[in-house]
Amino acid sequence: MMLTASSLVPSLLQAVSTADTIIAKTLPVRGVLEWTSGILQILVLLLGIGVLAAAIVLLIGIKKALDKIETSVEKLTAETRPLLASATGIANDAREVVAMVKIDVERVTDAAAAISEQLLDAAETTARRVDEVNAVIDVLQAELEHTAISTVAAVRGVRVGAAALGSPLAPSRTRTVPLDLNDDDE
């Protein structure tokens, strides 16, 4: 075997660089488990990329749907502004009507209270006057009874006196008036 200078150079360089250390590089032996683990990692990576792509597609679809919804909302807003303005005007008019009705009801209530009080005062005054008139009528009735009794007694006294004196004012003899001296009408 013939040694040439070119074949010795690497060996000599190796001997110079590593004088007394032996370097051994071992290559790992890959078994079925390691190959399966690597394949599974690649599959998980591919699934992750697929989920990411699906999420991107989903987000793009959601954005398009949101854009359509936004367009619809803007359209509805433009169409409902006049309706909202009308509804606001109607609500304001209703508030004004309620305020006016409230004021009118308060006025009617105040007027009814005043009239009620006046009617109660008038009824009280009328009742007092009726009581006064009844008292006057009672006094007049008593006086009239007393006057009538006194007049009847006086007329009877005149008749009896005229009959006793034989006056033409006396009642006729065919008719006799009994003299009742115990008649005390007064």
Side-chain angles (χ1 to χ4, degrees):
M1 191 183 276
M2 194 168 293
L3 290 175
T4 61
S6 62
S7 65
L8 279 177
V9 172
S11 297
L12 287 174
L13 284 177
Q14 187 178 19
V16 169
S17 65
T18 56
D20 35 25
T21 307
I22 299 174
I23 296 177
K25 193 171 185 185
T26 59
L27 293 175
V29 177
R30 296 204 170 212
V32 175
L33 230 50
E34 288 182 17
W35 283 103
T36 308
S37 174
I39 292 171
L40 287 176
Q41 286 176 357
I42 291 172
L43 284 175
V44 168
L45 179 65
L46 290 175
L47 283 174
I49 292 172
V51 168
L52 183 62
I56 289 172
V57 169
L58 181 67
L59 289 175
I60 289 172
I62 289 174
K63 175 142 179 31
K64 286 180 183 178
L66 287 175
D67 288 343
K68 286 181 183 178
I69 290 173
E70 184 179 348
T71 304
S72 297
V73 167
E74 287 175 2
K75 215 179 205 184
L76 284 173
T77 302
E79 290 175 1
T80 57
R81 275 197 183 118
L83 292 174
L84 290 175
S86 296
T88 302
I90 290 170
N92 289 337
D93 291 344
R95 282 190 195 113
E96 291 175 9
V97 167
V98 167
M100 289 189 298
V101 167
K102 184 178 178 183
I103 290 170
D104 289 345
V105 166
E106 288 175 358
R107 286 181 185 167
V108 167
T109 302
D110 292 344
I115 289 172
S116 176
E117 191 167 320
Q118 289 176 352
L119 286 174
L120 289 174
D121 289 343
E124 186 178 313
T125 302
T126 303
R128 190 176 60 246
R129 287 185 182 174
V130 166
D131 289 342
E132 290 172 358
V133 168
N134 283 338
V136 168
I137 288 174
D138 288 342
V139 169
L140 282 176
Q141 184 178 0
E143 287 296 319
L144 283 174
E145 286 175 358
H146 181 65
T147 304
I149 290 172
S150 297
T151 304
V152 168
V155 169
R156 185 181 281 180
V158 169
R159 276 191 189 166
V160 170
L165 296 175
S167 159
L169 291 174
S172 65
R173 298 230 180 228
T174 57
R175 193 175 132 221
T176 58
V177 177
L179 182 60
D180 188 12
L181 296 175
N182 290 333
D183 194 16
D184 200 20
D185 289 336
E186 227 172 308

